[in-house]
Amino acid sequence: MNSNVMLTIRSKQAYIGQEPDVIELVTEAASYPGADGWYISYEESDLTGLQGVVTTFCVKPEEITLRRTGRLQSEMVFKEGYRHESLYQMEFGALMMAVTARSIRCDVGPRGGEIAITSGIEIEHNTAGTVEYHVTVKPME
């Protein structure tokens, strides 16, 4: 059963040699159970620079997968200590990206919950910095 939820997403990207970039987004999303985890899906906006992209979190007890479809195609698997490589496909080309989750915390279900991820990131096999996501999921009243 799909339910509408309100997401508050705060991401912090700290790339080597640059000031950290913090984005906070509040948006409606769909939340629903699946055979392999709990799903939360929303459409990106101009604020994130990813208009035309749908982002979906698949939440399992010790693993979170973030998938993007549309103008941009990517999949990142976050599991503590696990390095995940994938192509980050954009309109103008693709980059090899790897994420290694340093910590994850997830507690999401029918009544909402939270997701927290801290991950190292590599782009084209070079250490690029860290990315943090904090997602709060609240049922809409």
Side-chain angles (χ1 to χ4, degrees):
M1 163 188 268
N2 282 8
S3 61
N4 290 338
V5 295
M6 189 60 69
L7 292 185
T8 302
I9 303 167
R10 185 175 194 269
S11 70
K12 179 180 178 183
Q13 301 173 0
Y15 293 110
I16 295 170
Q18 299 178 15
E19 289 294 315
D21 185 24
V22 177
I23 296 174
E24 187 163 322
L25 173 69
V26 177
T27 189
E28 288 186 37
S31 179
Y32 50 95
D36 60 344
W38 196 266
Y39 289 84
I40 303 160
S41 186
Y42 68 96
E43 292 183 25
E44 295 282 354
S45 69
D46 285 337
L47 178 65
T48 61
L50 298 174
Q51 187 174 16
V53 174
V54 174
T55 296
T56 303
F57 289 95
C58 175
V59 181
K60 300 176 187 178
E62 296 182 12
E63 178 180 307
I64 301 166
T65 302
L66 186 154
R67 288 186 186 97
R68 290 195 166 117
T69 58
R71 285 187 23 228
L72 182 146
Q73 304 285 320
S74 73
E75 179 175 274
M76 293 177 262
V77 177
F78 300 97
K79 185 175 183 174
E80 282 189 32
Y82 174 74
R83 183 175 183 275
H84 179 259
E85 275 191 10
S86 64
L87 281 178
Y88 197 83
Q89 298 176 341
M90 300 164 283
E91 292 177 8
F92 58 83
L95 297 170
M96 179 57 71
M97 182 179 292
V99 293
T100 304
R102 296 179 181 157
S103 69
I104 67 168
R105 188 178 77 242
C106 52
D107 180 19
V108 175
R111 294 190 174 111
E114 291 189 36
I115 299 169
I117 303 168
T118 300
S119 178
I121 188 167
E122 298 173 31
I123 298 174
E124 293 293 328
H125 305 286
N126 294 301
T127 300
T130 60
V131 175
E132 298 174 15
Y133 294 101
H134 187 265
V135 181
T136 303
V137 183
K138 292 184 179 180
M140 294 188 59
E141 298 176 15

